[in-house]
Amino acid sequence: MSTQHLLSLLVENKPGILTRVAALFARRGYNIESLAVGTTEIEGVSRITVVVSLDGQPLEQVTKQLNKLINVLKIVELEEETSVARDHMLVKVRTDSSTRSQVLEAVTLFRARVIDVVSDAVVIEVTGNTAKCQAFLKVLEPFGIKELVQSGAIAVSRGSKSMSEKVIR
Amino acid sequence: MATETLTGAQALIRSLELLGVDTVFGLPGGAILPTYDPLMDSKKLRHILVRHEQGAGHAAEGYAAASGRLGVCIATSGPGATNLVTAIADAHMDSVPMLAITGQVNSFSIGTDAFQEADIVGITMPITKHSFLVTRAEDIPGVVAAAYEIATTGRPGPVLIDFAKDAQNGKFEFSWPPKIDLPGFRPVTDPHGKQVQAAAELILKSHKPILYVGGGVIRADASKELLALAELLHAPVTTTLMARGAFPDSHPQQLGMPGMHGTVPAVTALQKSDLLITLGARFDDRVTGDIKSFAKGAKVIHVDIDPAEIGKIRHADVPIVGDAKVVILMLIAELKAQMKDSKPDYEDWWIFLKGLKERYPLGYSEPDDGKLSPQYVIQRIGELSGPEAIFASGVGQHQMWSAQFIKYERPNSWLNSGGLGTMGYAVPAAMGAKVAQPDRLVWAIDGDGCFQMTNQELATCTINNIPIKVAIINNSSLGMVRQWQTLFYNSRYSNSDLNTGTDTIMVPDFVKLGEAYGCLAIRVEKVEDVDAAIKLAMETNDRPVVIDFIVGRDAMVWPMVPSGISNDAVQYARDAAPIWDGDE
């Protein structure tokens, strides 16, 4: 049985680093569920958050292989209990005068936000963990989802410690 | 710090010189031309012009494997760079410290599908330890120094630097040494003391230990330490294909090579062992056979400098990350402390192993067709040349026979393509080895198939006075393919005939080919001529030598464990499994 793991990688912001990381997953036969990349509080250091479905032994192997990449500075697995993770999602939903109020009600219930409205559609943004986003989508489905875009999970550990501590010499 | 205005190309040459590089193998072309200009003036760098970039790559590997130093090859952009790919992949699999330098189109043309443009950094990402694209001259000293550090530190491997043409032409203020900025590169060389302690305890509790030695011991230059450890324990030793020479073959504790074509004693000792003391080996499928049934009763101590090797294939009861030399020295000290005056008693184990050694020595039968026995030829090359020589082989039957029938007494005397299995490795690798160790006798033991892939480097050898000896073990076929077709495909020889034997149309005639390249070339067909031919080759040092040994094509490599099957099913010869005493 494989389970989902959320890995956080601090990497040097060098050309090709995303290719190296993604290619390593592909070459070793692991599927990436989601991937999010951005800069961090340290100049020249980026953070890659990757969700991957694996069981224990391959997870150790993929972590070790990632660690061998010269531009990878640090890898941690963020556990659900000790970290917070968020997905960000934009959904374009079909609406008309008869369904709009129902859609807006769902938006309120899920603490989502409408960011664009036209006569036959609305664009909604929602932030939350994967389960919440999936639940929200299920509610919207009957109205007709015209377009969906997701950011991939980003995550940070709880508490005051920072992942980048002791990374930079 | 004093600086000097240099072009990027001059800085590249200067950096290599300052890092102690003395030889580069390469072939120029458009995008690397700026670098070839100052190279011409270098007093410290010897450039050897190859005939194909793959030859440059394997020569750099041979140079590195024979000497333990960094091997360097240079090619131009596009096809020059892609021709290096096989050698880079080979070096990656066999942990060879190598620097591959390639030219690239101007930085402003990258991505436009310019003439001779190839994304070599992208192409080689999965087969290099690391790679760099340099687009600014001022980055060159730092990148070259970093590449050297990465290639030679920790688990060695190939590093590629792709130099855009404008980076080679740009001018800047050169200073040395540069700052090396590699925050993500921290190889662990010193092991945890606790792990070493645990390993010693496990060893002293075991009754049937075996030292399973891999190429890491050679790369770590830890042969002396291994000998001390083995003798302290009086434990049996098996050296993998990559580790032939890491432990003397003449030593009574040596069981020989393990794996698919390993000796019966080595294969069986691993299967029956209760503790694998694994040193710089990686549980390759050619060693383990079916992994589920491999050494089922054994606990595992796994020493490797690469943490990713530990637990990759086989669970390690005691994992130790560190340099083999450092670990072995610590382990010896720890064992001595724990042993006090008593020695571990492996007498029953040795009775079993000695029985295997007596009953199942390596051997071969003479071919039915009256031709030379390939094993005999190879064995005589080894015996007449002695342990100070270097032997490089291609891939296939002749490689296995060379691993089996030549007796290796010292590390770096056996060079081959173990992981990737690259046909064509032998001639250029022997050339590189001869350049690194000019005073040693260097043999390329090659097959008639392999030889046809890279023999153009004989031109390089003749012109540059690199007198290697090439023994073609000519069975007129892709021998290992033929062996598998005999055993597993009902003797249906699909596309494995090469027509190079004396009873065929003989294309090419290797003697004529050797002569065309300026070599001394002879053909040997009779057993009584074998020694004289080998001696003639050894005495001829004004040019390379090619000996075309016409051997029986039906000779097979034995013992053998068929692919994917349990090592318990090792066959001593065809349809002849070892007979056990009924206790298993």
Side-chain angles (χ1 to χ4, degrees):
Chain A
M1 248 307 277
S2 61
T3 46
Q4 287 205 345
H5 300 271
L6 192 150
L7 299 177
S8 238
L9 285 73
L10 287 182
V11 300
E12 287 182 274
N13 189 4
K14 294 271 169 84
I17 178 61
L18 188 58
T19 313
R20 288 179 200 277
V21 170
L24 197 149
F25 279 89
R27 182 165 97 76
R28 303 267 169 193
Y30 306 129
N31 264 332
I32 294 174
E33 304 283 336
S34 83
L35 184 80
V37 194
T39 54
T40 63
E41 71 279 8
I42 301 164
E43 203 188 320
V45 175
S46 290
R47 182 157 170 160
I48 301 176
T49 308
V50 51
V51 178
V52 59
S53 287
L54 292 167
D55 52 25
Q57 202 277 334
L59 180 71
E60 186 187 327
Q61 180 59 209
V62 79
T63 307
K64 284 173 167 179
Q65 294 291 348
L66 285 168
N67 257 318
K68 278 167 72 171
L69 296 178
I70 305 293
N71 299 137
V72 170
L73 301 171
K74 190 175 184 178
I75 305 169
V76 293
E77 185 187 1
L78 293 176
E79 312 272 357
E80 215 177 318
E81 308 83 61
T82 54
S83 63
V84 280
R86 290 290 180 267
D87 288 27
H88 196 195
M89 201 161 77
L90 301 175
V91 205
K92 193 176 284 178
V93 184
R94 196 187 308 276
T95 53
D96 54 32
S97 52
S98 69
T99 59
R100 189 172 296 117
S101 61
Q102 285 169 275
V103 170
L104 291 177
E105 197 177 328
V107 166
T108 312
L109 283 170
F110 279 88
R111 281 182 287 158
R113 288 200 301 160
V114 172
I115 50 178
D116 189 45
V117 184
V118 287
S119 62
D120 57 352
V122 291
V123 175
I124 303 164
E125 82 172 325
V126 63
T127 302
N129 61 26
T130 310
K132 172 186 163 182
C133 292
Q134 292 309 311
F136 185 47
L137 279 180
K138 219 166 182 184
V139 171
L140 296 179
E141 222 159 50
F143 302 105
I145 294 171
K146 290 170 70 75
E147 203 171 338
L148 169 66
V149 51
Q150 306 187 60
S151 68
I154 55 170
V156 71
S157 66
R158 293 181 186 274
S160 65
K161 273 197 183 146
S162 148
M163 184 178 167
S164 59
E165 280 167 28
K166 292 184 196 164
V167 163
I168 304 303
R169 290 175 188 172
Chain B
M1 205 185 297
T3 65
E4 190 182 345
T5 306
L6 296 183
T7 66
Q10 289 169 329
L12 167 54
I13 301 302
R14 184 74 62 83
S15 301
L16 292 173
E17 291 172 351
L18 287 163
L19 287 163
V21 173
D22 57 14
T23 308
V24 292
F25 301 88
L27 195 145
I32 196 71
L33 271 178
T35 293
Y36 268 79
D37 193 65
L39 178 60
M40 200 175 174
D41 299 327
S42 174
K43 302 273 189 292
K44 294 176 182 156
L45 276 186
R46 179 185 184 193
H47 177 270
I48 293 170
L49 174 64
V50 297
R51 293 298 176 272
H52 186 291
E53 291 87 350
Q54 184 185 354
H58 292 317
E61 285 189 274
Y63 178 97
S67 66
R69 302 197 297 269
L70 178 79
V72 184
C73 53
I74 305 191
T76 192
S77 63
T82 57
N83 277 346
L84 286 179
V85 166
T86 300
I88 293 171
D90 195 274
H92 189 57
M93 286 287 256
D94 287 349
S95 307
V96 181
M98 179 164 117
L99 175 60
I101 291 168
T102 51
Q104 181 55 277
V105 301
N106 283 307
S107 62
F108 51 83
S109 298
I110 291 176
T112 66
D113 305 315
F115 177 64
Q116 291 195 329
E117 182 187 355
D119 174 15
I120 196 63
V121 167
I123 289 167
T124 57
M125 260 182 202
I127 53 166
T128 49
K129 195 169 171 189
H130 195 56
S131 49
F132 298 91
L133 170 64
V134 180
T135 54
R136 302 187 313 171
E138 58 268 36
D139 294 340
I140 286 175
V143 167
V144 175
Y148 185 95
E149 169 94 4
I150 293 167
T152 57
T153 314
R155 180 179 184 173
V159 176
L160 177 135
I161 315 177
D162 198 21
F163 293 92
K165 197 168 183 180
D166 48 345
Q168 298 171 57
N169 285 325
K171 287 191 173 154
F172 73 107
E173 291 299 309
F174 177 88
S175 70
W176 193 269
K179 186 173 169 281
I180 301 177
D181 186 27
L182 295 169
F185 182 60
R186 296 172 295 256
V188 175
T189 52
D190 294 338
H192 272 292
K194 268 190 184 165
Q195 294 299 91
V196 175
Q197 200 182 333
E201 283 165 15
L202 207 53
I203 290 169
L204 295 177
K205 264 191 261 169
S206 71
H207 301 287
K208 298 189 283 183
I210 180 167
L211 289 153
Y212 160 30
V213 175
V217 169
I218 290 180
R219 297 286 182 259
D221 188 23
S223 293
K224 247 196 286 174
E225 292 73 13
L226 170 65
L227 183 66
L229 173 66
E231 292 190 337
L232 174 70
L233 289 171
H234 194 57
V237 179
T238 178
T239 45
T240 68
L241 182 64
M242 290 309 296
R244 303 291 292 124
F247 188 79
D249 278 346
S250 59
H251 199 284
Q253 284 164 242
Q254 168 71 277
L255 300 181
M257 182 170 77
M260 182 176 271
H261 294 297
T263 66
V264 172
V267 171
T268 310
L270 286 167
Q271 288 302 86
K272 310 284 183 198
S273 167
D274 66 356
L275 178 65
L276 309 184
I277 306 166
T278 313
L279 304 168
R282 59 182 178 86
F283 294 89
D284 182 85
D285 56 278
R286 284 299 191 263
V287 167
T288 64
D290 169 43
I291 187 67
K292 285 192 204 74
S293 57
F294 174 71
K296 273 165 94 173
K299 294 204 166 183
V300 173
I301 296 166
H302 196 170
V303 177
D304 206 291
I305 196 149
D306 179 357
E309 286 304 339
I310 293 172
K312 183 180 83 176
I313 305 290
R314 171 74 180 245
H315 170 75
D317 299 278
V318 179
I320 303 179
V321 177
D323 177 82
K325 192 175 202 156
V326 180
V327 175
I328 294 173
L329 284 173
M330 281 177 70
L331 192 53
I332 290 171
E334 181 62 33
L335 282 164
K336 281 183 176 162
Q338 288 191 22
M339 275 157 56
K340 311 238 167 40
D341 295 324
S342 66
K343 275 216 163 194
D345 176 16
Y346 304 134
E347 207 185 318
D348 290 346
W349 183 221
W350 271 114
I351 290 170
F352 174 72
L353 297 174
K354 279 177 183 158
L356 289 174
K357 281 179 97 168
E358 276 160 29
R359 263 181 297 167
Y360 302 106
L362 278 172
Y364 55 89
S365 47
E366 294 297 324
D368 299 333
D369 55 9
K371 291 201 171 126
L372 286 172
S373 139
Q375 298 95 330
Y376 173 76
V377 171
I378 290 167
Q379 188 172 331
R380 287 307 290 158
I381 291 172
E383 284 166 358
L384 292 172
S385 303
E388 292 305 314
I390 292 172
F391 306 90
S393 89
V395 166
Q397 288 184 316
H398 68 278
Q399 173 192 28
M400 292 298 113
W401 289 321
S402 300
Q404 292 173 334
F405 291 101
I406 295 173
K407 298 302 158 205
Y408 300 95
E409 299 293 319
R410 60 175 193 90
N412 304 318
S413 60
W414 163 242
L415 320 180
N416 85 131
S417 168
L420 196 66
T422 306
M423 288 176 66
Y425 172 87
V427 169
M431 174 173 83
K434 183 69 182 173
V435 171
Q437 308 265 286
D439 297 333
R440 290 192 190 274
L441 169 62
V442 180
W443 280 97
I445 298 176
D446 221 356
D448 43 306
C450 289
F451 182 68
Q452 292 188 68
M453 293 193 175
T454 49
N455 64 50
Q456 69 273 29
E457 299 315 333
L458 285 175
T460 312
C461 288
T462 301
I463 289 166
N464 293 285
N465 190 25
I466 307 167
I468 61 166
K469 330 290 175 192
V470 182
I472 305 170
I473 308 302
N474 183 355
N475 60 4
S476 196
S477 57
L478 298 166
M480 189 61 94
V481 171
R482 186 181 167 87
Q483 175 166 345
W484 283 49
Q485 288 171 334
T486 302
L487 294 173
F488 312 121
Y489 294 90
N490 298 318
S491 298
R492 283 160 50 82
Y493 300 113
S494 174
N495 294 282
S496 55
D497 268 0
L498 290 176
N499 290 294
T500 51
T502 41
D503 45 5
T504 70
I505 57 166
M506 254 179 112
V507 176
D509 179 324
F510 291 131
V511 171
K512 287 185 190 164
L513 183 68
E515 283 171 351
Y517 279 128
C519 305
L520 171 70
I522 53 173
R523 177 165 297 119
V524 178
E525 297 180 70
K526 295 199 187 94
V527 67
E528 57 267 30
D529 297 337
V530 169
D531 279 17
I534 295 168
K535 283 178 191 159
L536 176 65
M538 288 167 62
E539 285 158 10
T540 306
N541 285 309
D542 58 340
R543 58 200 148 139
V545 178
V546 174
I547 312 178
D548 184 19
F549 287 104
I550 306 295
V551 302
R553 66 186 336 198
D554 292 321
M556 288 202 242
V557 182
W558 298 108
M560 179 171 187
V561 183
S563 180
I565 289 183
S566 167
N567 278 357
D568 290 330
V570 59
Q571 289 185 24
Y572 184 47
R574 191 169 189 182
D575 300 325
I579 300 154
W580 309 116
D581 291 335
D583 59 333
E584 297 296 331

